Every structure is written in structure tokens, then in C-alpha cells.
């Protein structure tokens, strides 16, 4: 699917989010990556095979001063 050189990571690789966007709709909160992954602004993903990846935002740790 990807025509970039070097090719972007595939949808089943661990670094799939590093693929380049082919459609970006920030007003709707999603981007389509060239590997077929639908990436949502809450960091959730929908893979081309229909698998759902739950949002995985890093947890901010607040310490008392």
C-alpha cells in the first residue's frame, strides 16, 4: 500500500503510528495513515483488519512540591 521510500511501517508492526498520513481531518479528530491505520486524536486506532486499539495516552505523574 505504501509508496514511500523507505516504506512506512506496516499496520501490524509495533511502530505503525510512524506511517505518513494520506488524509488528515483534525476537525473530525482522525487521520488515515498510508498503511491503512485510522488514527484518532485520543490515540485510539482502527487497524485495516478491523482490530481496535484502545487509546494509549501517556499518564502524567504529578508530584507535590
Amino acid at each position: 500500500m505504501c509508496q514511500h521510500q523507505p516504506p512506512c511501517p506496516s499496520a501490524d508492526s509495533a511502530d505503525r503510528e510512524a506511517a505518513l498520513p494520506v488524509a488528515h481531518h483534525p476537525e473530525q479528530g482522525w487521520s488515515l495513515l498510508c498503511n491503512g491505520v485510522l488514527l484518532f486524536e485520543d490515540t485510539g486506532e482502527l487497524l485495516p483488519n478491523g482490530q481496535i486499539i484502545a487509546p494509549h495516552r501517556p499518564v502524567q505523574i504529578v508530584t507535590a512540591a
Side-chain angles (χ1 to χ4, degrees):
M1 181 183 245
C2 177
Q3 301 298 316
H4 300 110
Q5 290 301 324
C8 292
S10 67
D12 58 352
S13 67
D15 60 345
R16 64 182 156 261
E17 295 175 14
L20 297 174
V22 294
H24 182 64
H25 293 277
E27 72 282 359
Q28 296 176 356
W30 61 270
S31 295
L32 176 63
L33 305 181
C34 70
N35 57 7
V37 172
L38 195 56
L39 180 63
F40 297 96
E41 76 176 12
D42 70 352
T43 69
E45 301 171 25
L46 179 60
L47 303 185
N49 66 3
Q51 180 182 358
I52 297 170
I53 307 296
H56 49 277
R57 289 184 179 178
V59 177
Q60 183 178 3
I61 299 173
V62 178
T63 58

